[in-house]
Amino acid sequence: MRSPRRLLLLAASSLALLGGAALPAVALTPPAVVAAQDAQPSQPWAQAASDVPADANVRFGVLPNGMRYAILKNATPPGQASLRLRIAAGSLMENDDQLGLAHFMEHMAFNGTTNVPENELLRILERLGLAFGADTNAFTSFDQTAYTLELPRTNDETVDTSLRIMREQVSEALMKAEDIDAERGVIEGEERLRNTPALRSIKAQLALLASGQRLSNRLPIGDLSIIRSAPRERFVEFYNAYYRPERATMIAVGDFDVDQMEAKIKATFSDWAPKAADGPNPDLGTVAPRSAETRILVEPGIQSSIQLNWIRNPDLDPDTVTERREALVQNLGLAVLNRRLGEIARADNPPFITASASQGSLFRTVDLGSVSANFNPGGLQRALETIEQEQRRLVQFGVTQVELDREIANSRTALENAVQAAATRSTPSLANALLGATNDDKVFSSPAANLALFEAGVKDLKADQVSSAVKAVFEGYGPLALVVTPEAIEGGEAGVTAALEASRAVAVTARAEQAQLEWPYADFGAAAAPSSRTEVAAVGATVVTFPNGVRLTVKPTDFKDEQVLMTVRTGIGEEGLPTDRFTPQMLAPMVFTQGGLGKLTADELSRVLTGKIYSAGFSIDGDAYQLSGATRPADLQLQMQVLAAYLTDPGLRAAPFEQIKAFFPQILTQQLATPGGAFGIQAAGLLASGDKREAVPSAAEIAAFTLDDLKQGLTQGLSAGPIDIVMVGDVTVDDAIKAVASTFAALPARAPAAQPLPGSDQRRFPAPSAQPVRLTHTGPVEQALGYIAWPTTDAVDDRTEARKVNILAEVFKLRVLDEIREKQALAYSPRVGSSASDVFKGYGSIFVMAETATDKLPAFYAAVDAITASLRDTPVTEDELNRARLPLIESLRRSQAGNEYWLGQLEDLAAKPASLEQIQTHISDLESFTAADIQAAARQYLTANTAWKAEVVSDKAPAQ
């Protein structure tokens, strides 16, 4: 069961600028036939004006009505397909009285069409095995709207129905006035959900970089006053002007016959004709001359950051070989700068948490070069001075040949690996790549072509050429400085400008050469021969044991070429940690690999292994410490050396430890600024009845942690217990044995595993709460979150009951979406889920949560009570059960065609052979549950006298 606390440390994620889809869903009948007219697409395929070769495996075409299509056969995963239908219109196309309607229109495309009644669209797709959100989605950006489907099968029924639904969405949306009115609350809920410090930071960034241009005030979420009041006519006006075949592109990737897919697309879309004049492409404005400028956004709960930007009018030249080489050379220079900044960030007492340099284009409005840093409060001056001077050092002194050769080697390795793995690229990623290339007006080129262009671009490339080219990244108007801070900056904007000018007056010198290094972890002792080897044919795996007790489970697959995944597990993990106090080990996943190895810092490790593909991750699970890695067959031996070195000689240096301690208060502050983040911090421990291993410590408690305590705890935890290795992917059993024999199997025999501390082998769900436990966040007063959870069961041994609860959760989700989102518009994205621990017996739960308006919390709880009562009192229909179950089964089948799934499933096979049956029965268990089983589970678990409730409201809200 995944801990909310662990999710916190993923909190520094970027906020998408896209409006998520509000997907709502009878046999479909074709729309009325309209005579097709020859038309030209709004934008021809990029290869028409380019000397970059398009991928020959993609069939590009244009229908007589101007609609484009791109079709690619791909069988990873087998029997599935991805569809993307792009409309070349987004929020930039809105008139001033339409702000937000491009995104709102996306919602309405799911709320009833000529041949699909309101709310039926999703149900049709669910019956085919597509899940809301995961398989059926859409998004709106500044310059495009895209509808996405992930098809679990490519039979005629699934493909024909999916294409017909997409056709209905883009040409037959009804947009009834009453349906628009009903959806307004959903959009308001989405705006409330997305109104975060991060979004407000993006607004400030666009206002600075695109000042006076259309982009600066066209965020897709729009204007609430327009969302609340826009009449139907404005929707129809936008839809008819921009939802038209010349602006549409269908992308189909998957395991199908290309000729047949092309015929289906033609049959479905060829008679689509526009209903009104083409909407105009907006005037995006031009970049006006600007001098150096500073803006400050004070936003409580935001990460402290500084950006220095140089802007210029966009380069709208076609995608050509020359353009790509210019970008390549500049990006190699930026890669050198980013490596330098990363090394500074990982040094003792660094001036910033992270820093990076980049270049790019913002929606054909402005091109920019940028260098930025995230820092702890109070650290603005050091961060500003360091990034400014490092950027200027690069411009003034350039890169060295050694640095350039390192970046070329790493880029070449990645491109070569892409060529070797091209045949097993994933279908969804290919569909998204085609969509991205289409939107950016770039040629979709093959991995082989990309490698060839790279080799031509770097042939005889010298450091002075890169040094000269990278200067252009930082040319233009600027620097435009943006400081985003949770607290006021002394001296304000004038003070930042003065600090910037003072830094620019400081002379910089060239970087010193770095010493050459050798890899010191190639010898762990004499290679060991296996003591036993057992085939487990049912799952295509082999279990190998070695004399020192190391157990290796190998599953060769052909899912993805050039990919080998592995985990190394030992010790007893959280079972060896106390439940009544915090320990520094909670920071270990954030600092373990960042500390490098005993003989190499993390940066030295990166330098010495230039051109190799390897990785190292670390986590503490309920019953084990885990190292993880990903590599290719050619680097398998090295990968196992890296992981063995981390196990036997971790660096555990002070710099990353002190850095995360200093950063942690910001994590807490940022999370507390939103209802969801505040819930994750405050409820994590409560949901484990106060277990400190799940709870989040305060800033003061984090500050008291010491590196010596961390070292002692990890050294002790990693030193005992058998070592279990699982390896899955493009590997033979013999190669896996060889790689382990000379690394982990060569180590001395280990002591038996430690015994759990008293009480540490248990975890308990909290006692029920008749009234919601009141938690607070620091954000706007109108934002709130409601949560209800019920205790269920575990998945330690027999997982059947937990799987039944999972199906119950999926049925529950359907009803929550229908009632709480669609009918009552209480929340944009209510969630229902279940979890079951595979370590702690009796510990599992099913929950429902929603971010909503504060005054709607009572209605949320009342709605949940009504839904749970209906689940207990009335059997679900077979149709509803299948609409809940089929997407889950199809998602599982999709996962089973990937290495990641098997890496997790085989985790316990060597130590617990009985787990084999549980692996084999997953799908058959899900298929076996009846409507009566689900009702019985609802009666057993969804009871008022076991529920634990919580609400998160603003600390500015009046006390109840």
Side-chain angles (χ1 to χ4, degrees), residues 98-120:
Q98 293 176 324
L99 300 184
L101 296 198
H103 168 243
F104 203 149
M105 186 58 248
E106 167 213 316
H107 283 237
M108 296 312 300
F110 292 89
N111 278 351
T113 66
T114 302
N115 298 287
V116 184
E118 183 184 2
N119 298 326
E120 272 300 303

Side-chain angles (χ1 to χ4, degrees), residues 148-384:
T148 70
L149 292 179
E150 300 297 340
L151 309 189
R153 290 175 301 280
T154 53
N155 61 342
D156 287 344
E157 180 188 12
T158 303
V159 173
D160 292 348
T161 302
S162 299
L163 289 174
R164 181 60 62 189
I165 280 177
M166 293 182 119
R167 166 63 193 275
E168 288 274 322
Q169 290 178 300
V170 296
S171 70
E172 301 296 320
L174 295 177
M175 296 169 284
K176 293 179 181 178
E178 59 269 27
D179 294 339
I180 290 172
D181 289 340
E183 194 71 15
R184 296 186 201 274
V186 175
I187 305 291
E188 284 194 60
E190 182 173 1
E191 191 278 340
R192 184 172 55 245
L193 179 68
R194 298 184 185 281
N195 184 19
T196 63
L199 179 63
R200 294 190 285 274
S201 174
I202 289 171
K203 290 181 179 179
Q205 184 180 16
L206 293 177
L208 174 65
L209 299 179
S211 177
Q213 295 180 268
R214 195 177 186 88
L215 182 67
S216 64
N217 68 342
R218 282 298 191 281
L219 277 172
I221 196 62
D223 184 319
L224 268 183
S225 64
I226 293 174
I227 290 167
R228 290 171 176 145
S229 62
R232 178 180 184 273
E233 290 71 24
R234 290 189 199 161
F235 290 83
V236 174
E237 177 186 341
F238 185 89
Y239 186 68
N240 288 345
Y242 292 103
Y243 277 62
R244 50 196 303 112
E246 312 98 286
R247 289 182 174 270
T249 303
M250 170 59 74
I251 294 167
V253 181
D255 191 6
F256 47 64
D257 180 272
V258 171
D259 290 338
Q260 292 179 7
M261 179 58 77
E262 183 178 40
K264 290 178 182 295
I265 291 172
K266 288 180 176 179
T268 305
F269 290 95
S270 288
D271 61 357
W272 178 17
K275 299 176 181 177
D278 192 5
N281 287 320
D283 180 359
L284 301 179
T286 59
V287 175
R290 309 269 292 278
S291 56
E293 186 177 339
T294 299
R295 298 271 184 90
I296 295 176
L297 171 67
V298 178
E299 180 65 56
I302 198 69
Q303 165 67 57
S304 300
S305 66
I306 168 74
Q307 295 177 6
L308 301 178
N309 303 284
W310 290 261
I311 64 171
R312 53 196 176 273
N313 280 306
D315 177 3
L316 302 179
D317 292 341
D319 178 22
T320 63
V321 170
T322 299
E323 288 276 319
R324 288 199 182 189
R325 186 181 188 280
E326 289 176 358
L328 167 64
V329 174
Q330 291 176 343
N331 287 333
L332 287 169
L334 290 176
V336 171
L337 178 55
N338 279 319
R339 186 179 294 273
R340 292 177 182 179
L341 292 170
E343 291 174 352
I344 294 171
R346 290 182 287 271
D348 291 337
N349 190 27
F352 40 64
I353 301 166
T354 59
S356 63
S358 63
Q359 66 171 334
S361 180
L362 293 179
F363 303 99
R364 298 176 173 267
T365 294
V366 58
D367 283 1
L368 72 154
S370 178
V371 59
S372 61
N374 295 328
F375 57 89
N376 287 320
L380 171 60
Q381 183 161 341
R382 287 186 67 209
L384 184 155

Side-chain angles (χ1 to χ4, degrees), residues 340-576:
R340 292 177 182 179
L341 292 170
E343 291 174 352
I344 294 171
R346 290 182 287 271
D348 291 337
N349 190 27
F352 40 64
I353 301 166
T354 59
S356 63
S358 63
Q359 66 171 334
S361 180
L362 293 179
F363 303 99
R364 298 176 173 267
T365 294
V366 58
D367 283 1
L368 72 154
S370 178
V371 59
S372 61
N374 295 328
F375 57 89
N376 287 320
L380 171 60
Q381 183 161 341
R382 287 186 67 209
L384 184 155
E385 291 172 349
T386 306
I387 63 172
E388 187 280 322
Q389 290 169 26
E390 284 302 315
Q391 175 268 330
R392 192 154 39 87
R393 193 189 319 277
L394 180 78
V395 170
Q396 187 170 338
F397 294 99
V399 306
T400 69
Q401 194 65 42
V402 171
E403 289 178 307
L404 173 60
D405 290 344
R406 182 183 303 136
E407 303 309 332
I408 289 175
N410 285 330
S411 297
R412 176 180 287 119
T413 298
L415 289 166
E416 288 175 341
N417 200 59
V419 171
Q420 294 166 345
T424 52
R425 291 173 290 175
S426 82
T427 287
S429 65
L430 280 168
N432 290 336
L434 269 163
L435 179 63
T438 301
N439 194 57
D440 295 339
D441 199 25
K442 303 294 184 184
V443 178
F444 184 81
S445 47
S446 69
N450 294 337
L451 177 60
L453 290 171
F454 171 82
E455 294 293 4
V458 300
K459 181 177 173 56
D460 300 324
L461 184 63
K462 302 301 180 186
D464 59 348
Q465 295 171 278
V466 175
S467 300
S468 176
V470 77
K471 294 178 182 180
V473 173
F474 304 106
E475 293 174 351
Y477 302 120
L480 305 180
L482 175 64
V483 178
V484 180
T485 170
E487 55 190 34
I489 299 295
E490 185 176 355
E493 294 176 349
V496 175
T497 300
L500 179 57
E501 290 304 316
S503 178
R504 295 173 76 179
V506 175
V508 295
T509 58
R511 293 252 304 183
E513 291 285 344
Q514 295 174 320
Q516 294 292 317
L517 299 167
E518 299 293 333
W519 175 239
Y521 293 100
D523 186 4
F524 292 89
S531 53
S532 70
R533 176 171 169 164
T534 305
E535 305 291 329
V536 188
V539 289
T542 300
V543 177
V544 181
T545 59
F546 292 89
N548 68 346
V550 168
R551 294 179 293 226
L552 167 67
T553 302
V554 190
K555 178 178 173 62
T557 73
D558 57 4
F559 301 141
K560 187 172 181 61
D561 294 342
E562 297 297 303
Q563 183 190 68
V564 186
L565 306 181
M566 69 283 300
T567 57
V568 179
R569 295 168 62 83
T570 192
I572 60 172
E574 288 185 343
E575 290 187 322

Side-chain angles (χ1 to χ4, degrees), residues 700-907:
E701 288 165 328
I702 289 285
F705 290 165
T706 69
L707 182 60
D708 286 342
D709 286 343
L710 175 66
K711 287 182 176 179
Q712 180 181 355
L714 284 177
T715 300
Q716 180 179 343
L718 290 168
S719 64
I723 296 174
D724 280 288
I725 301 169
V726 178
M727 196 176 299
V728 179
D730 188 3
V731 62
T732 66
V733 175
D734 288 343
D735 284 346
I737 291 173
K738 180 180 177 182
V740 172
S742 60
T743 52
F744 291 94
L747 299 175
R750 292 161 60 85
Q755 293 299 307
L757 295 178
S760 291
D761 58 349
Q762 301 172 22
R763 186 162 289 159
R764 299 184 307 278
F765 191 81
S769 55
Q771 296 299 318
V773 174
R774 189 178 176 91
L775 309 173
T776 61
H777 65 87
T778 61
V781 70
E782 66 271 15
Q783 294 181 343
L785 179 147
Y787 181 92
I788 312 176
W790 299 262
T792 56
T793 187
D794 63 76
V796 176
D797 296 316
D798 187 348
R799 306 172 197 171
T800 306
E801 185 70 11
R803 290 166 179 170
K804 185 191 301 179
V805 173
N806 199 11
I807 293 289
L808 171 61
E810 292 301 311
V811 175
F812 197 176
K813 183 189 301 181
L814 292 181
R815 297 198 181 183
V816 163
L817 289 170
D818 184 59
E819 183 66 29
I820 291 178
R821 175 188 162 112
E822 296 301 330
K823 291 182 180 178
Q824 298 194 40
L826 298 176
Y828 165 69
S829 185
R831 291 176 53 204
V832 180
S834 68
S835 60
S837 175
D838 57 3
V839 175
F840 303 107
K841 289 195 172 183
Y843 189 64
S845 68
I846 185 170
F847 73 88
V848 56
M849 66 184 296
E851 293 196 38
T852 186
T854 306
D855 61 0
K856 293 182 178 180
L857 282 171
F860 164 75
Y861 291 115
V864 173
D865 287 345
I867 294 169
T868 54
S870 71
L871 287 168
R872 293 190 303 265
D873 298 343
T874 308
V876 300
T877 65
E878 284 299 317
D879 178 66
E880 186 177 25
L881 175 59
N882 284 326
R883 288 192 292 110
R885 172 169 46 200
L886 287 178
L888 193 63
I889 291 173
E890 294 301 341
S891 175
L892 179 57
R893 286 192 172 121
R894 185 180 302 137
S895 297
Q896 289 177 338
N899 293 324
E900 292 81 358
Y901 171 86
W902 291 103
L903 192 69
Q905 290 294 306
L906 300 176
E907 187 176 276

